[in-house]
Amino acid sequence: MKVWILIFVCMFSMPLLVAVLHFRMRKGQTLKIRQDYVKNARYFGRSFSALVEKALPEMKNGMIMLSRQEKVLETDGKQEFVQPEIEDLIIARNTIFCPQQEDLHFQKEIYSEKDALFVKENIRLRAVYSKKRLLFGNKIRLLRWADAEHAVAVYDECDLGERVSSGEQLVIGFENVFHSLYAPVIRLGQRPEEPDRFMEERDPRIFRMPVMNSYEYNRHYIDDDMVTEGGTVPYTIISRGDIKVIEDIILQGDIHSDGAVRIMENASVLGNIFAENDILLEKNATVLGNIFTQGNIIFEEGASAGQPDKIISVVARGTITFYGGNNIYGYVVSEGGGKILKSDREISGEYCFPGEPVHEEKITFRDLSEYENVDFQGFRGDIYVKEAIIPEGASVIPKSQFFECRSLEKVYLPESVSVIEDYAFADCHVLKVWESIEKLSLKSVGISAFENCYALEFVSLPDSLTVIGGAAFAECVSVNKLIFSDTSLLKKIGDHAFRGCRNLKEVYLPDSVEYVGVSAFRDCSSLEQISVSEKIKNQPGIAELEKNCPNARIRFREVNSVEKE
């Protein structure tokens, strides 16, 4: 019996022993994280157009190879269709695609390199992609999806299928139904020829106020008793029951409700709303954050969610209803179906596209207080801003303040800035060196603060700098020299701090440095020489230089007899 027990124990423990030995013998390697994988709201259009464009050069005899061989009908845009049922894939490359017949049914996808217009009634579409603009007139039925790189205009009585998306803006008329919408700007119950008056009709203060995290529990009525002298309610509200925000109130926090939520006329919520039951936004109510509910959502006339150049989500397990004059910035998703109600307004003139939206390209602040009260999302993801001026007296660039602002070229920082926090300028691909960098009183640069700033250039950093965070300047491929003065106070260089700076040739680190992290100079393939104090030769980022940068000449300097303070 004992023998059998021993055999059982050996069989049970052997896999564990092998696993332990295997992992102890392995040498740890840094996990490579791909940061370009994101959920793409325009997945259908983007993936379909990529397939078509890749296969077009090989198209022969009216056949194209996508996921399988497809028969193609190339059209000049105004072609007369013999049969109402069109079974071929449609490709329009040289002219606007605009069918001139009613009651057509396109059973396969449509790809257009120019504008695509469906102005005749009772046209059924499987899916359509336009590399330019897209227009649906009246009574168009979409079975699956539609996507355009630029504006999408939809008039009345259309069924918009599973998803309609746009890379620019989406303007939808009345008596339409949908399931999912996406665009940086969505105008619902509006006409394309009408101007976008969202910003004109809102209190300008709400766009520069911070979202507060002070909590109030089980308050059902947010009324004048909670308003501060500044005219706001600086709380996040958490309640087991229903919540009502009365007229003209500005609530600076979120709302979490186990019941229903009612935002009354002209009231504003700066944070998010999460509810188990229905959410009602009355006339001209505004929510700047996301809206999620297990119930239904109603947007009365003029009620809106989000703000320009920031993407939010409006999601309902039930239905979403719009009365008209509504603006949403980002996603609208309704499992129970969405609709824009009928209106008595007549269409004025002919079908048309909306004008191009106007985006703020330069960010300025009235004063230091306005800068310090920017909400926690900052300007992240703003793809239009090109220049930002930080006011005098500012000491901190907050976390993710300008994260993924991929058009940002210039940032003017005052000498008072001492801290640049994590991800502050990460993925600002075209950001160049700011003026007088050496004059800053900079003390620390946070994790990934300038990661993937491909155009960033500098030779030296301020003497006051003591800490460079992990991956702070990773993939800054335009940096070719990194020279610190002997009076520098730098003590710590974080893991991966300069990883991937493949054009970096020369490095001089001061005697004050005490720590150089793992892979600090990994993939710096052009590094030719580096000079460091002998006392840090065993630091991880220095000890691995011979392996990671085999062409680099490493010079170890003797430690000074008198250490710097």
Side-chain angles (χ1 to χ4, degrees):
M1 185 66 180
K2 292 181 179 180
V3 174
W4 287 108
I5 293 174
L6 181 61
I7 292 173
F8 174 78
V9 171
C10 290
M11 292 178 65
F12 181 78
S13 60
M14 187 61 67
L16 181 62
L17 180 61
V18 171
V20 170
L21 291 174
H22 173 71
F23 281 101
R24 290 193 65 175
M25 292 174 66
R26 287 184 64 186
K27 294 184 178 180
Q29 292 185 348
T30 304
L31 180 63
K32 183 69 173 178
I33 299 175
R34 289 288 301 274
Q35 299 186 27
D36 55 347
Y37 287 128
V38 295
K39 184 178 180 180
N40 189 345
R42 298 178 54 216
Y43 169 79
F44 297 117
R46 288 288 181 86
S47 58
F48 170 68
S49 62
L51 281 174
V52 171
E53 288 161 13
K54 182 179 179 181
L56 273 175
E58 305 298 325
M59 185 172 67
K60 294 180 180 179
N61 302 321
M63 301 295 291
I64 191 171
M65 182 64 187
L66 300 181
S67 56
R68 62 180 182 180
Q69 286 285 344
E70 298 281 358
K71 190 176 180 181
V72 174
L73 176 59
E74 285 199 271
T75 174
D76 61 4
K78 294 186 178 181
Q79 177 176 337
E80 291 288 332
F81 295 94
V82 177
Q83 299 292 334
E85 300 286 330
I86 299 97
E87 299 179 355
D88 300 338
L89 181 75
I90 301 293
I91 294 181
R93 288 192 278 180
N94 300 317
T95 60
I96 291 173
F97 181 68
C98 184
Q100 299 298 299
Q101 299 157 263
E102 296 183 352
D103 303 311
L104 296 175
H105 180 197
F106 293 91
Q107 299 182 16
K108 293 289 182 70
E109 291 84 356
I110 297 170
Y111 170 89
S112 177
E113 292 192 0
K114 307 293 183 182
D115 294 342
L117 290 75
F118 300 90
V119 296
K120 299 298 182 180
E121 294 187 358
N122 299 317
I123 293 179
R124 286 187 294 166
L125 305 165
R126 174 182 169 87
V128 56
Y129 168 83
S130 170
K131 209 163 187 175
K132 298 296 184 180
R133 300 175 298 180
L134 180 61
L135 187 146
F136 289 170
N138 293 325
K139 299 180 180 179
I140 304 298
R141 184 184 177 193
L142 178 67
L143 301 181
R144 296 187 64 188
W145 57 265
D147 177 68
E149 296 295 331
H150 299 287
V152 175
V154 178
Y155 279 79
D156 299 345
E157 299 181 62
C158 297
D159 183 339
L160 300 180
E162 294 301 316
R163 171 165 291 185
V164 176
S165 56
S166 164
E168 185 181 90
Q169 63 175 320
L170 174 56
V171 183
I172 305 178
F174 297 92
E175 209 171 352
N176 296 293
V177 296
F178 64 88
H179 280 281
S180 176
L181 308 170
Y182 169 79
V185 180
I186 305 176
R187 296 164 53 195
L188 302 115
Q190 300 181 52
R191 299 290 186 213
E193 63 271 15
E194 297 173 345
D196 183 352
R197 301 192 181 281
F198 173 80
M199 296 296 289
E200 297 176 14
E201 298 170 348
R202 263 71 193 171
D203 185 336
R205 294 180 301 161
I206 67 176
F207 301 109
R208 292 292 177 90
M209 288 183 176
V211 176
M212 306 300 288
N213 293 319
S214 300
Y215 294 99
E216 282 282 324
Y217 294 94
N218 295 317
R219 295 292 295 263
H220 300 292
Y221 293 93
I222 315 305
D223 52 30
D224 292 334
D225 293 340
M226 301 177 68
V227 176
T228 66
E229 292 182 359
T232 67
V233 178
Y235 299 111
T236 283
I237 308 300
I238 301 176
S239 177
R240 294 177 181 174
D242 298 343
I243 297 176
K244 181 192 292 185
V245 181
I246 68 167
E247 294 93 338
D248 302 310
I249 292 289
I250 298 176
L251 178 69
Q252 283 189 254
D254 300 331
I255 293 178
H256 301 252
S257 171
D258 289 344
V261 175
R262 181 181 178 185
I263 313 299
M264 298 182 70
E265 287 189 24
N266 298 309
S268 300
V269 177
L270 306 193
N272 307 304
I273 297 181
F274 304 95
E276 293 297 320
N277 292 326
D278 295 349
I279 296 175
L280 169 62
L281 275 68
E282 292 189 358
K283 187 175 181 180
N284 295 326
T286 305
V287 177
L288 296 188
N290 303 289
I291 302 177
F292 294 93
T293 180
Q294 298 291 335
N296 308 307
I297 304 176
I298 295 175
F299 285 79
E300 290 189 354
E301 186 176 352
S304 298
Q307 58 182 302
D309 300 329
K310 293 187 179 181
I311 299 300
I312 58 95
S313 298
V314 176
V315 181
R317 179 65 62 87
T319 62
I320 301 179
T321 303
F322 294 96
Y323 278 70
N326 311 109
N327 281 41
I328 307 292
Y329 296 87
Y331 301 85
V332 181
V333 180
S334 171
E335 290 188 20
K339 59 184 176 181
I340 301 101
L341 296 183
K342 187 175 181 179
S343 171
D344 296 330
R345 298 166 61 189
E346 296 293 331
I347 298 177
S348 58
E350 299 179 353
Y351 292 129
C352 67
F353 286 106
E356 293 187 8
V358 177
H359 302 283
E360 193 71 40
E361 294 186 355
K362 184 176 181 179
I363 295 173
T364 59
F365 303 90
R366 289 192 299 268
D367 51 35
L368 181 60
S369 176
E370 184 180 47
Y371 169 75
E372 292 177 341
N373 285 323
V374 170
D375 71 60
F376 71 94
Q377 291 189 37
F379 304 94
R380 61 180 300 154
D382 188 331
I383 61 173
Y384 302 103
V385 62
K386 295 182 178 180
E387 185 178 348
I389 300 177
I390 308 302
E392 293 293 333
S395 60
V396 177
I397 308 297
K399 289 182 179 180
S400 303
Q401 181 82 300
F402 297 96
F403 174 75
E404 216 171 40
C405 292
R406 296 194 173 180
S407 298
L408 183 64
E409 298 175 358
K410 298 178 181 179
V411 176
Y412 295 92
L413 301 178
E415 294 180 18
S416 54
V417 170
S418 60
V419 177
I420 297 176
E421 294 188 343
D422 301 348
Y423 304 98
F425 296 99
D427 286 348
C428 294
H429 293 170
V430 297
L431 178 64
K432 297 180 180 179
V433 65
W434 55 89
E435 295 181 359
S436 305
I437 180 173
E438 293 84 2
K439 293 182 180 180
L440 297 180
S441 57
L442 197 58
K443 294 182 179 178
S444 69
V445 176
I447 295 170
S448 297
F450 293 94
E451 185 171 7
N452 298 326
C453 291
Y454 304 139
L456 188 67
E457 297 177 10
F458 59 83
V459 172
S460 182
L461 294 170
D463 284 354
S464 57
L465 186 63
T466 60
V467 176
I468 296 176
F473 296 97
E475 303 293 337
C476 290
V477 295
S478 294
V479 176
N480 54 42
K481 283 187 179 182
L482 181 63
I483 309 296
F484 289 89
S485 76
D486 287 328
T487 57
S488 172
L489 301 177
L490 184 65
K491 292 186 178 297
K492 179 181 178 181
I493 298 176
D495 300 345
H496 313 281
F498 297 93
R499 184 197 69 238
C501 294
R502 58 178 179 268
N503 292 309
L504 182 61
K505 295 180 179 180
E506 183 180 351
V507 175
Y508 183 96
L509 301 184
D511 292 347
S512 57
V513 174
E514 298 174 355
Y515 177 80
V516 180
V518 175
S519 299
F521 296 97
R522 187 187 181 109
D523 297 330
C524 294
S525 54
S526 298
L527 189 61
E528 296 174 355
Q529 58 182 355
I530 178 170
S531 177
V532 300
S533 170
E534 189 177 36
K535 70 179 181 181
I536 61 170
K537 66 180 182 180
N538 293 323
Q539 288 296 311
I542 302 301
E544 66 185 12
L545 275 174
E546 188 173 338
K547 172 186 173 183
N548 288 343
C549 304
N551 298 323
R553 185 173 75 255
I554 308 169
R555 178 193 168 201
F556 294 110
R557 306 186 307 272
E558 292 185 5
V559 181
N560 291 337
S561 58
V562 180
E563 293 288 338
K564 293 184 178 67
E565 292 185 3

